Amino acid sequence: MKRLLTCIIIVWAAFAGCRKEDDPVFPESADERLNKTLAAYQTALIGSPSGWNAELVTRNGISYKFHFSFNNANRVQMYSDFDINTATDRKESSYRLKALQQPVLMFDTYSYIHYLSDPSDTVAGGPAGEGLESDFEFRFDQMAGDSITLVGRFKNAKLVLRKASAQDLQTWQNGNWVSALNFEQVNKRILTYWKRLTIGGRQYEVIIDPSYRKASFVWRDGGGIARSHVTEFFYTATGLTFVKPLVDGANNITSLSAFTWNNNASNFTMTVNGNTAGTIAGAITPLVPDVNASGRWWLAVAGTGDYWQSRTGFRVNGVQDAFGLRKIPNFYSIMFQAEWDEYQGVQLDLAGFLYLEGQELQLYFGAAFAPPIFTANGRIILRYVGYLGDLPADAEVPFNNTVELFDNPAGFYLIQTGPSSWDMVSASDARSWISWN
């Protein structure tokens, strides 16, 4: 047996020695195979006569729709449901297919798809330096049937392309998506903080976050109990669909469509669930006031050394940073500290202006306020007593306008928008507010 095994090993060794060292496992080199794969993807991309319907889901789960038409000269035309302009103005830019260890689709000139990852917080509304956690370079993951799945190289955003029909393309070209995107005009047309959705005699307060495609609802049910609901939404060519429907007794709100702005009535009309009329109009008081909110906000920083801050100051009549604080050289933020210091036996609050000097924040001046008044319906009233520090000439007008608004005799409602974020809304007309973090 031992002799037989030895013979087998000798024969195998002789056979292996006859095999050339450079005999390839595959008939083509790795580069040749990769180039063939790229060519196949290129053929697929340009092979859809009516282009591609695309859904891009960012790393934090926000869904955006696109339409792409690729040609063989590395040009791509696109629409997007980012806003009304991108849904009506077809933009052309360039793209490349490249081998970066694996096949990659790169949108290599600035286009609508770049908006979502733009680091400026004024473009898509995401955090400064981060954007909306999206990509514009994607690795090919799978091609099956009439769809191609890609994954972002840096943020792992998911992009799915599906072959479009001629009718799909016409829907974009004819501006059908504009009606759906009118929902995002609610914040621009209705300048009060509160927006009231009315359906068949039932009222719901709705806050719309267009950047993160999120809607928050507050209402009282049939028994007078306060209810709330938060859901993401996504657009279609006819309207929007809520990821989690709002359920209120017989009302089960899943979708809104056919948005129309009525200038005379200053409201939007729409169709709910495809068959029920509804309106959205402005309101100057909360539907369900949180009577303890202002006290919680103030106490959170009272005498602690912590403070609330706002990078943009007041939004007034739809204008963010209405008083131009960010135009002041080296301005960083407004801070509000409750019980900042004591003067003649009175604890003063401070709204200070913080400047960025090198790598450090410096407080040079601010407005002092007497202890606030808290009302039974949830308002806080701030009472200005004077300014502290040296007020530079280039900050004088923004400072005075800001202080005048803080010193509003009607006071403010406080709305908690997150674990450590609040909106402070003028109680006089609800057309001015400041966001604190």
Side-chain angles (χ1 to χ4, degrees), residues 161-205:
L161 309 181
R162 294 182 176 87
K163 280 189 177 181
S165 66
Q167 184 176 356
D168 292 331
L169 177 57
Q170 288 173 3
T171 298
W172 288 98
Q173 292 174 328
N174 295 340
N176 293 31
W177 283 78
V178 172
S179 175
L181 289 163
N182 271 332
F183 184 64
E184 296 195 357
Q185 294 292 305
V186 169
N187 288 344
K188 297 178 181 179
R189 295 278 192 172
I190 300 175
L191 301 182
T192 55
Y193 182 85
W194 290 286
K195 285 81 175 173
R196 202 70 51 85
L197 170 63
T198 302
I199 305 170
R202 301 286 292 149
Q203 290 193 323
Y204 306 88
E205 199 164 86

mmCIF file of all heavy atoms in Angstrom, residues 161-205:
data_model
loop_
_atom_site.group_PDB
_atom_site.id
_atom_site.type_symbol
_atom_site.label_atom_id
_atom_site.label_comp_id
_atom_site.label_asym_id
_atom_site.label_seq_id
_atom_site.Cartn_x
_atom_site.Cartn_y
_atom_site.Cartn_z
ATOM 1 N N LEU A 161 -31.689 51.951 -10.472
ATOM 2 C CA LEU A 161 -32.148 52.411 -11.782
ATOM 3 C C LEU A 161 -33.112 51.376 -12.355
ATOM 4 O O LEU A 161 -32.821 50.171 -12.332
ATOM 5 C CB LEU A 161 -30.969 52.581 -12.745
ATOM 6 C CG LEU A 161 -29.762 53.406 -12.291
ATOM 7 C CD1 LEU A 161 -28.738 53.463 -13.408
ATOM 8 C CD2 LEU A 161 -30.185 54.807 -11.890
ATOM 9 N N ARG A 162 -34.236 51.864 -12.865
ATOM 10 C CA ARG A 162 -35.198 50.984 -13.546
ATOM 11 C C ARG A 162 -35.543 51.602 -14.895
ATOM 12 O O ARG A 162 -35.773 52.809 -14.985
ATOM 13 C CB ARG A 162 -36.462 50.804 -12.702
ATOM 14 C CG ARG A 162 -36.212 50.053 -11.391
ATOM 15 C CD ARG A 162 -37.497 49.856 -10.598
ATOM 16 N NE ARG A 162 -37.260 49.055 -9.396
ATOM 17 C CZ ARG A 162 -36.867 49.550 -8.229
ATOM 18 N NH1 ARG A 162 -36.670 50.864 -8.121
ATOM 19 N NH2 ARG A 162 -36.656 48.759 -7.197
ATOM 20 N N LYS A 163 -35.583 50.773 -15.919
ATOM 21 C CA LYS A 163 -35.867 51.290 -17.257
ATOM 22 C C LYS A 163 -37.174 52.067 -17.275
ATOM 23 O O LYS A 163 -38.196 51.600 -16.770
ATOM 24 C CB LYS A 163 -35.915 50.150 -18.269
ATOM 25 C CG LYS A 163 -34.543 49.688 -18.726
ATOM 26 C CD LYS A 163 -34.639 48.720 -19.890
ATOM 27 C CE LYS A 163 -33.249 48.335 -20.388
ATOM 28 N NZ LYS A 163 -33.319 47.413 -21.538
ATOM 29 N N ALA A 164 -37.123 53.262 -17.862
ATOM 30 C CA ALA A 164 -38.306 54.114 -17.933
ATOM 31 C C ALA A 164 -39.053 53.881 -19.231
ATOM 32 O O ALA A 164 -38.468 53.507 -20.254
ATOM 33 C CB ALA A 164 -37.903 55.585 -17.822
ATOM 34 N N SER A 165 -40.344 54.114 -19.160
ATOM 35 C CA SER A 165 -41.169 54.068 -20.369
ATOM 36 C C SER A 165 -41.221 55.468 -20.981
ATOM 37 O O SER A 165 -40.831 56.461 -20.358
ATOM 38 C CB SER A 165 -42.583 53.599 -20.024
ATOM 39 O OG SER A 165 -43.241 54.569 -19.210
ATOM 40 N N ALA A 166 -41.726 55.540 -22.206
ATOM 41 C CA ALA A 166 -41.898 56.855 -22.845
ATOM 42 C C ALA A 166 -42.832 57.730 -22.023
ATOM 43 O O ALA A 166 -42.630 58.952 -21.908
ATOM 44 C CB ALA A 166 -42.434 56.669 -24.261
ATOM 45 N N GLN A 167 -43.837 57.128 -21.400
ATOM 46 C CA GLN A 167 -44.772 57.889 -20.569
ATOM 47 C C GLN A 167 -44.076 58.424 -19.311
ATOM 48 O O GLN A 167 -44.357 59.546 -18.874
ATOM 49 C CB GLN A 167 -45.959 57.018 -20.180
ATOM 50 C CG GLN A 167 -47.021 57.767 -19.383
ATOM 51 C CD GLN A 167 -48.237 56.903 -19.082
ATOM 52 O OE1 GLN A 167 -48.323 55.763 -19.530
ATOM 53 N NE2 GLN A 167 -49.161 57.444 -18.320
ATOM 54 N N ASP A 168 -43.156 57.645 -18.746
ATOM 55 C CA ASP A 168 -42.403 58.118 -17.581
ATOM 56 C C ASP A 168 -41.634 59.392 -17.918
ATOM 57 O O ASP A 168 -41.645 60.366 -17.158
ATOM 58 C CB ASP A 168 -41.411 57.051 -17.103
ATOM 59 C CG ASP A 168 -42.090 55.835 -16.508
ATOM 60 O OD1 ASP A 168 -43.203 55.983 -15.960
ATOM 61 O OD2 ASP A 168 -41.512 54.739 -16.597
ATOM 62 N N LEU A 169 -40.954 59.371 -19.050
ATOM 63 C CA LEU A 169 -40.186 60.541 -19.470
ATOM 64 C C LEU A 169 -41.101 61.731 -19.731
ATOM 65 O O LEU A 169 -40.811 62.860 -19.332
ATOM 66 C CB LEU A 169 -39.363 60.210 -20.713
ATOM 67 C CG LEU A 169 -38.547 61.362 -21.321
ATOM 68 C CD1 LEU A 169 -37.602 61.959 -20.300
ATOM 69 C CD2 LEU A 169 -37.768 60.868 -22.548
ATOM 70 N N GLN A 170 -42.243 61.486 -20.389
ATOM 71 C CA GLN A 170 -43.189 62.569 -20.664
ATOM 72 C C GLN A 170 -43.738 63.177 -19.379
ATOM 73 O O GLN A 170 -44.003 64.381 -19.310
ATOM 74 C CB GLN A 170 -44.335 62.048 -21.530
ATOM 75 C CG GLN A 170 -43.931 61.762 -22.972
ATOM 76 C CD GLN A 170 -45.038 61.089 -23.757
ATOM 77 O OE1 GLN A 170 -46.142 60.881 -23.247
ATOM 78 N NE2 GLN A 170 -44.735 60.710 -24.993
ATOM 79 N N THR A 171 -43.884 62.365 -18.349
ATOM 80 C CA THR A 171 -44.386 62.872 -17.073
ATOM 81 C C THR A 171 -43.449 63.933 -16.511
ATOM 82 O O THR A 171 -43.900 64.964 -15.990
ATOM 83 C CB THR A 171 -44.534 61.715 -16.067
ATOM 84 O OG1 THR A 171 -45.492 60.790 -16.571
ATOM 85 C CG2 THR A 171 -45.008 62.216 -14.713
ATOM 86 N N TRP A 172 -42.144 63.706 -16.638
ATOM 87 C CA TRP A 172 -41.187 64.734 -16.214
ATOM 88 C C TRP A 172 -41.219 65.924 -17.176
ATOM 89 O O TRP A 172 -41.272 67.080 -16.747
ATOM 90 C CB TRP A 172 -39.773 64.147 -16.168
ATOM 91 C CG TRP A 172 -39.521 63.200 -15.045
ATOM 92 C CD1 TRP A 172 -39.554 61.841 -15.079
ATOM 93 C CD2 TRP A 172 -39.173 63.538 -13.694
ATOM 94 N NE1 TRP A 172 -39.264 61.310 -13.851
ATOM 95 C CE2 TRP A 172 -39.016 62.333 -12.973
ATOM 96 C CE3 TRP A 172 -38.978 64.750 -13.022
ATOM 97 C CZ2 TRP A 172 -38.663 62.292 -11.626
ATOM 98 C CZ3 TRP A 172 -38.621 64.726 -11.675
ATOM 99 C CH2 TRP A 172 -38.475 63.507 -10.989
ATOM 100 N N GLN A 173 -41.173 65.641 -18.466
ATOM 101 C CA GLN A 173 -41.114 66.719 -19.457
ATOM 102 C C GLN A 173 -42.345 67.612 -19.416
ATOM 103 O O GLN A 173 -42.257 68.814 -19.675
ATOM 104 C CB GLN A 173 -40.940 66.125 -20.857
ATOM 105 C CG GLN A 173 -39.590 65.459 -21.064
ATOM 106 C CD GLN A 173 -39.491 64.751 -22.402
ATOM 107 O OE1 GLN A 173 -40.489 64.242 -22.924
ATOM 108 N NE2 GLN A 173 -38.289 64.698 -22.959
ATOM 109 N N ASN A 174 -43.498 67.048 -19.077
ATOM 110 C CA ASN A 174 -44.742 67.819 -19.035
ATOM 111 C C ASN A 174 -44.952 68.550 -17.711
ATOM 112 O O ASN A 174 -45.956 69.228 -17.527
ATOM 113 C CB ASN A 174 -45.945 66.901 -19.293
ATOM 114 C CG ASN A 174 -45.942 66.316 -20.686
ATOM 115 O OD1 ASN A 174 -45.284 66.841 -21.590
ATOM 116 N ND2 ASN A 174 -46.651 65.210 -20.883
ATOM 117 N N GLY A 175 -44.013 68.394 -16.765
ATOM 118 C CA GLY A 175 -44.111 69.110 -15.497
ATOM 119 C C GLY A 175 -45.094 68.513 -14.506
ATOM 120 O O GLY A 175 -45.509 69.201 -13.558
ATOM 121 N N ASN A 176 -45.465 67.244 -14.677
ATOM 122 C CA ASN A 176 -46.440 66.634 -13.770
ATOM 123 C C ASN A 176 -45.948 66.567 -12.334
ATOM 124 O O ASN A 176 -46.738 66.577 -11.393
ATOM 125 C CB ASN A 176 -46.789 65.221 -14.252
ATOM 126 C CG ASN A 176 -47.544 65.228 -15.571
ATOM 127 O OD1 ASN A 176 -47.331 66.114 -16.382
ATOM 128 N ND2 ASN A 176 -48.400 64.254 -15.792
ATOM 129 N N TRP A 177 -44.623 66.467 -12.131
ATOM 130 C CA TRP A 177 -44.081 66.347 -10.788
ATOM 131 C C TRP A 177 -44.232 67.645 -9.983
ATOM 132 O O TRP A 177 -44.142 67.633 -8.757
ATOM 133 C CB TRP A 177 -42.609 65.957 -10.840
ATOM 134 C CG TRP A 177 -42.394 64.502 -11.138
ATOM 135 C CD1 TRP A 177 -42.476 63.897 -12.363
ATOM 136 C CD2 TRP A 177 -42.087 63.475 -10.202
ATOM 137 N NE1 TRP A 177 -42.223 62.544 -12.250
ATOM 138 C CE2 TRP A 177 -41.979 62.258 -10.931
ATOM 139 C CE3 TRP A 177 -41.876 63.454 -8.828
ATOM 140 C CZ2 TRP A 177 -41.679 61.042 -10.322
ATOM 141 C CZ3 TRP A 177 -41.568 62.237 -8.222
ATOM 142 C CH2 TRP A 177 -41.478 61.061 -8.953
ATOM 143 N N VAL A 178 -44.451 68.746 -10.664
ATOM 144 C CA VAL A 178 -44.535 70.034 -9.972
ATOM 145 C C VAL A 178 -45.689 70.060 -8.981
ATOM 146 O O VAL A 178 -45.574 70.585 -7.869
ATOM 147 C CB VAL A 178 -44.659 71.193 -10.986
ATOM 148 C CG1 VAL A 178 -44.953 72.504 -10.279
ATOM 149 C CG2 VAL A 178 -43.384 71.308 -11.804
ATOM 150 N N SER A 179 -46.826 69.497 -9.362
ATOM 151 C CA SER A 179 -47.977 69.495 -8.462
ATOM 152 C C SER A 179 -47.645 68.802 -7.150
ATOM 153 O O SER A 179 -47.991 69.290 -6.072
ATOM 154 C CB SER A 179 -49.170 68.796 -9.132
ATOM 155 O OG SER A 179 -50.254 68.673 -8.235
ATOM 156 N N ALA A 180 -46.935 67.672 -7.231
ATOM 157 C CA ALA A 180 -46.563 66.966 -6.004
ATOM 158 C C ALA A 180 -45.614 67.801 -5.158
ATOM 159 O O ALA A 180 -45.763 67.919 -3.939
ATOM 160 C CB ALA A 180 -45.915 65.626 -6.353
ATOM 161 N N LEU A 181 -44.638 68.426 -5.814
ATOM 162 C CA LEU A 181 -43.630 69.187 -5.085
ATOM 163 C C LEU A 181 -44.155 70.499 -4.525
ATOM 164 O O LEU A 181 -43.463 71.163 -3.751
ATOM 165 C CB LEU A 181 -42.421 69.436 -5.985
ATOM 166 C CG LEU A 181 -41.589 68.180 -6.266
ATOM 167 C CD1 LEU A 181 -40.677 68.380 -7.454
ATOM 168 C CD2 LEU A 181 -40.784 67.801 -5.034
ATOM 169 N N ASN A 182 -45.382 70.880 -4.908
ATOM 170 C CA ASN A 182 -45.991 72.058 -4.293
ATOM 171 C C ASN A 182 -46.145 71.892 -2.781
ATOM 172 O O ASN A 182 -46.281 72.877 -2.053
ATOM 173 C CB ASN A 182 -47.360 72.348 -4.912
ATOM 174 C CG ASN A 182 -47.257 73.244 -6.127
ATOM 175 O OD1 ASN A 182 -46.331 74.047 -6.244
ATOM 176 N ND2 ASN A 182 -48.196 73.112 -7.050
ATOM 177 N N PHE A 183 -46.123 70.654 -2.307
ATOM 178 C CA PHE A 183 -46.201 70.427 -0.865
ATOM 179 C C PHE A 183 -45.049 71.128 -0.151
ATOM 180 O O PHE A 183 -45.208 71.649 0.957
ATOM 181 C CB PHE A 183 -46.171 68.928 -0.573
ATOM 182 C CG PHE A 183 -46.348 68.585 0.883
ATOM 183 C CD1 PHE A 183 -47.532 68.874 1.540
ATOM 184 C CD2 PHE A 183 -45.333 67.971 1.597
ATOM 185 C CE1 PHE A 183 -47.706 68.550 2.878
ATOM 186 C CE2 PHE A 183 -45.497 67.641 2.926
ATOM 187 C CZ PHE A 183 -46.682 67.934 3.575
ATOM 188 N N GLU A 184 -43.878 71.161 -0.789
ATOM 189 C CA GLU A 184 -42.739 71.822 -0.175
ATOM 190 C C GLU A 184 -42.862 73.343 -0.242
ATOM 191 O O GLU A 184 -42.087 74.054 0.409
ATOM 192 C CB GLU A 184 -41.445 71.351 -0.827
ATOM 193 C CG GLU A 184 -41.204 69.870 -0.601
ATOM 194 C CD GLU A 184 -39.790 69.434 -0.901
ATOM 195 O OE1 GLU A 184 -38.984 70.280 -1.343
ATOM 196 O OE2 GLU A 184 -39.480 68.257 -0.684
ATOM 197 N N GLN A 185 -43.835 73.845 -1.007
ATOM 198 C CA GLN A 185 -44.078 75.280 -1.044
ATOM 199 C C GLN A 185 -44.882 75.756 0.162
ATOM 200 O O GLN A 185 -45.039 76.961 0.372
ATOM 201 C CB GLN A 185 -44.828 75.641 -2.337
ATOM 202 C CG GLN A 185 -44.037 75.416 -3.612
ATOM 203 C CD GLN A 185 -42.872 76.373 -3.736
ATOM 204 O OE1 GLN A 185 -43.048 77.585 -3.674
ATOM 205 N NE2 GLN A 185 -41.676 75.836 -3.899
ATOM 206 N N VAL A 186 -45.391 74.814 0.944
ATOM 207 C CA VAL A 186 -46.178 75.207 2.113
ATOM 208 C C VAL A 186 -45.366 76.123 3.013
ATOM 209 O O VAL A 186 -45.859 77.155 3.499
ATOM 210 C CB VAL A 186 -46.656 73.954 2.890
ATOM 211 C CG1 VAL A 186 -47.238 74.343 4.246
ATOM 212 C CG2 VAL A 186 -47.700 73.194 2.074
ATOM 213 N N ASN A 187 -44.109 75.792 3.260
ATOM 214 C CA ASN A 187 -43.273 76.614 4.133
ATOM 215 C C ASN A 187 -42.945 77.974 3.520
ATOM 216 O O ASN A 187 -42.697 78.940 4.242
ATOM 217 C CB ASN A 187 -41.971 75.887 4.459
ATOM 218 C CG ASN A 187 -42.181 74.726 5.413
ATOM 219 O OD1 ASN A 187 -43.218 74.628 6.066
ATOM 220 N ND2 ASN A 187 -41.211 73.842 5.491
ATOM 221 N N LYS A 188 -42.935 78.052 2.200
ATOM 222 C CA LYS A 188 -42.594 79.303 1.533
ATOM 223 C C LYS A 188 -43.813 80.207 1.354
ATOM 224 O O LYS A 188 -43.699 81.425 1.363
ATOM 225 C CB LYS A 188 -41.948 79.016 0.177
ATOM 226 C CG LYS A 188 -40.635 78.261 0.285
ATOM 227 C CD LYS A 188 -40.051 77.940 -1.083
ATOM 228 C CE LYS A 188 -38.744 77.165 -0.952
ATOM 229 N NZ LYS A 188 -38.166 76.812 -2.268
ATOM 230 N N ARG A 189 -44.975 79.604 1.152
ATOM 231 C CA ARG A 189 -46.197 80.384 0.923
ATOM 232 C C ARG A 189 -46.874 80.794 2.226
ATOM 233 O O ARG A 189 -47.392 81.908 2.340
ATOM 234 C CB ARG A 189 -47.176 79.563 0.078
ATOM 235 C CG ARG A 189 -46.697 79.264 -1.332
ATOM 236 C CD ARG A 189 -46.941 80.421 -2.254
ATOM 237 N NE ARG A 189 -46.757 80.063 -3.645
ATOM 238 C CZ ARG A 189 -47.060 80.876 -4.655
ATOM 239 N NH1 ARG A 189 -47.545 82.071 -4.420
ATOM 240 N NH2 ARG A 189 -46.874 80.492 -5.901
ATOM 241 N N ILE A 190 -46.889 79.891 3.190
ATOM 242 C CA ILE A 190 -47.541 80.173 4.474
ATOM 243 C C ILE A 190 -46.441 80.568 5.448
ATOM 244 O O ILE A 190 -45.616 79.748 5.854
ATOM 245 C CB ILE A 190 -48.322 78.950 4.981
ATOM 246 C CG1 ILE A 190 -49.400 78.569 3.969
ATOM 247 C CG2 ILE A 190 -48.942 79.236 6.342
ATOM 248 C CD1 ILE A 190 -50.154 77.300 4.322
ATOM 249 N N LEU A 191 -46.411 81.838 5.819
ATOM 250 C CA LEU A 191 -45.275 82.388 6.549
ATOM 251 C C LEU A 191 -45.397 82.266 8.054
ATOM 252 O O LEU A 191 -44.460 82.596 8.777
ATOM 253 C CB LEU A 191 -45.067 83.857 6.147
ATOM 254 C CG LEU A 191 -44.797 84.079 4.655
ATOM 255 C CD1 LEU A 191 -44.549 85.553 4.380
ATOM 256 C CD2 LEU A 191 -43.619 83.243 4.176
ATOM 257 N N THR A 192 -46.543 81.811 8.545
ATOM 258 C CA THR A 192 -46.654 81.576 9.980
ATOM 259 C C THR A 192 -45.993 80.247 10.333
ATOM 260 O O THR A 192 -45.912 79.336 9.508
ATOM 261 C CB THR A 192 -48.121 81.547 10.436
ATOM 262 O OG1 THR A 192 -48.824 80.567 9.662
ATOM 263 C CG2 THR A 192 -48.771 82.906 10.257
ATOM 264 N N TYR A 193 -45.551 80.145 11.583
ATOM 265 C CA TYR A 193 -44.888 78.927 12.024
ATOM 266 C C TYR A 193 -45.834 77.738 11.956
ATOM 267 O O TYR A 193 -45.450 76.656 11.526
ATOM 268 C CB TYR A 193 -44.375 79.111 13.454
ATOM 269 C CG TYR A 193 -43.632 77.925 14.001
ATOM 270 C CD1 TYR A 193 -42.270 77.766 13.745
ATOM 271 C CD2 TYR A 193 -44.279 76.958 14.768
ATOM 272 C CE1 TYR A 193 -41.575 76.667 14.244
ATOM 273 C CE2 TYR A 193 -43.596 75.853 15.275
ATOM 274 C CZ TYR A 193 -42.240 75.721 15.007
ATOM 275 O OH TYR A 193 -41.562 74.631 15.504
ATOM 276 N N TRP A 194 -47.088 77.959 12.372
ATOM 277 C CA TRP A 194 -48.032 76.847 12.411
ATOM 278 C C TRP A 194 -48.826 76.766 11.123
ATOM 279 O O TRP A 194 -49.329 77.772 10.605
ATOM 280 C CB TRP A 194 -48.976 76.993 13.608
ATOM 281 C CG TRP A 194 -48.253 76.755 14.898
ATOM 282 C CD1 TRP A 194 -47.828 75.557 15.394
ATOM 283 C CD2 TRP A 194 -47.839 77.741 15.837
ATOM 284 N NE1 TRP A 194 -47.174 75.736 16.586
ATOM 285 C CE2 TRP A 194 -47.166 77.062 16.889
ATOM 286 C CE3 TRP A 194 -47.970 79.135 15.920
ATOM 287 C CZ2 TRP A 194 -46.630 77.728 17.981
ATOM 288 C CZ3 TRP A 194 -47.436 79.799 16.992
ATOM 289 C CH2 TRP A 194 -46.761 79.095 18.015
ATOM 290 N N LYS A 195 -48.930 75.544 10.608
ATOM 291 C CA LYS A 195 -49.733 75.242 9.429
ATOM 292 C C LYS A 195 -50.811 74.255 9.849
ATOM 293 O O LYS A 195 -50.531 73.248 10.494
ATOM 294 C CB LYS A 195 -48.880 74.628 8.317
ATOM 295 C CG LYS A 195 -47.989 75.636 7.570
ATOM 296 C CD LYS A 195 -46.719 75.951 8.295
ATOM 297 C CE LYS A 195 -45.822 76.863 7.459
ATOM 298 N NZ LYS A 195 -44.642 77.327 8.211
ATOM 299 N N ARG A 196 -52.045 74.551 9.455
ATOM 300 C CA ARG A 196 -53.191 73.773 9.914
ATOM 301 C C ARG A 196 -53.805 73.000 8.750
ATOM 302 O O ARG A 196 -54.291 73.594 7.781
ATOM 303 C CB ARG A 196 -54.213 74.732 10.538
ATOM 304 C CG ARG A 196 -55.194 74.139 11.513
ATOM 305 C CD ARG A 196 -54.585 73.702 12.827
ATOM 306 N NE ARG A 196 -53.760 74.656 13.528
ATOM 307 C CZ ARG A 196 -54.213 75.600 14.362
ATOM 308 N NH1 ARG A 196 -55.509 75.726 14.579
ATOM 309 N NH2 ARG A 196 -53.383 76.394 14.985
ATOM 310 N N LEU A 197 -53.739 71.670 8.831
ATOM 311 C CA LEU A 197 -54.356 70.793 7.840
ATOM 312 C C LEU A 197 -55.779 70.478 8.298
ATOM 313 O O LEU A 197 -55.984 69.995 9.419
ATOM 314 C CB LEU A 197 -53.550 69.500 7.705
ATOM 315 C CG LEU A 197 -54.169 68.350 6.896
ATOM 316 C CD1 LEU A 197 -54.364 68.746 5.437
ATOM 317 C CD2 LEU A 197 -53.296 67.101 7.003
ATOM 318 N N THR A 198 -56.763 70.764 7.438
ATOM 319 C CA THR A 198 -58.170 70.519 7.766
ATOM 320 C C THR A 198 -58.744 69.497 6.791
ATOM 321 O O THR A 198 -58.655 69.659 5.573
ATOM 322 C CB THR A 198 -58.991 71.817 7.698
ATOM 323 O OG1 THR A 198 -58.427 72.779 8.596
ATOM 324 C CG2 THR A 198 -60.440 71.567 8.091
ATOM 325 N N ILE A 199 -59.326 68.430 7.355
ATOM 326 C CA ILE A 199 -59.932 67.373 6.555
ATOM 327 C C ILE A 199 -61.283 67.035 7.173
ATOM 328 O O ILE A 199 -61.345 66.529 8.303
ATOM 329 C CB ILE A 199 -59.060 66.109 6.537
ATOM 330 C CG1 ILE A 199 -57.638 66.429 6.050
ATOM 331 C CG2 ILE A 199 -59.683 65.026 5.666
ATOM 332 C CD1 ILE A 199 -56.670 65.294 6.241
ATOM 333 N N GLY A 200 -62.342 67.343 6.450
ATOM 334 C CA GLY A 200 -63.671 66.976 6.914
ATOM 335 C C GLY A 200 -63.984 67.437 8.330
ATOM 336 O O GLY A 200 -64.561 66.697 9.117
ATOM 337 N N GLY A 201 -63.592 68.645 8.672
ATOM 338 C CA GLY A 201 -63.886 69.178 10.000
ATOM 339 C C GLY A 201 -62.850 68.841 11.054
ATOM 340 O O GLY A 201 -62.881 69.385 12.160
ATOM 341 N N ARG A 202 -61.933 67.929 10.773
ATOM 342 C CA ARG A 202 -60.849 67.596 11.692
ATOM 343 C C ARG A 202 -59.629 68.445 11.366
ATOM 344 O O ARG A 202 -59.315 68.689 10.194
ATOM 345 C CB ARG A 202 -60.491 66.108 11.596
ATOM 346 C CG ARG A 202 -61.639 65.167 11.899
ATOM 347 C CD ARG A 202 -61.961 65.105 13.379
ATOM 348 N NE ARG A 202 -60.897 64.472 14.119
ATOM 349 C CZ ARG A 202 -60.589 64.776 15.387
ATOM 350 N NH1 ARG A 202 -61.240 65.740 16.013
ATOM 351 N NH2 ARG A 202 -59.625 64.141 16.020
ATOM 352 N N GLN A 203 -58.922 68.908 12.398
ATOM 353 C CA GLN A 203 -57.753 69.759 12.193
ATOM 354 C C GLN A 203 -56.502 69.083 12.739
ATOM 355 O O GLN A 203 -56.520 68.454 13.800
ATOM 356 C CB GLN A 203 -57.946 71.121 12.878
ATOM 357 C CG GLN A 203 -58.985 72.003 12.204
ATOM 358 C CD GLN A 203 -58.914 73.432 12.716
ATOM 359 O OE1 GLN A 203 -58.661 73.680 13.887
ATOM 360 N NE2 GLN A 203 -59.144 74.384 11.820
ATOM 361 N N TYR A 204 -55.417 69.262 11.984
ATOM 362 C CA TYR A 204 -54.121 68.705 12.358
ATOM 363 C C TYR A 204 -53.062 69.781 12.139
ATOM 364 O O TYR A 204 -53.003 70.401 11.078
ATOM 365 C CB TYR A 204 -53.781 67.482 11.507
ATOM 366 C CG TYR A 204 -54.837 66.418 11.520
ATOM 367 C CD1 TYR A 204 -55.901 66.447 10.602
ATOM 368 C CD2 TYR A 204 -54.791 65.370 12.441
ATOM 369 C CE1 TYR A 204 -56.880 65.471 10.624
ATOM 370 C CE2 TYR A 204 -55.775 64.391 12.455
ATOM 371 C CZ TYR A 204 -56.817 64.452 11.547
ATOM 372 O OH TYR A 204 -57.799 63.486 11.566
ATOM 373 N N GLU A 205 -52.249 69.987 13.139
ATOM 374 C CA GLU A 205 -51.116 70.888 12.976
ATOM 375 C C GLU A 205 -49.997 70.103 12.321
ATOM 376 O O GLU A 205 -49.675 68.980 12.755
ATOM 377 C CB GLU A 205 -50.670 71.388 14.343
ATOM 378 C CG GLU A 205 -49.831 72.644 14.308
ATOM 379 C CD GLU A 205 -49.814 73.229 15.708
ATOM 380 O OE1 GLU A 205 -48.962 72.804 16.512
ATOM 381 O OE2 GLU A 205 -50.685 74.073 15.989
#
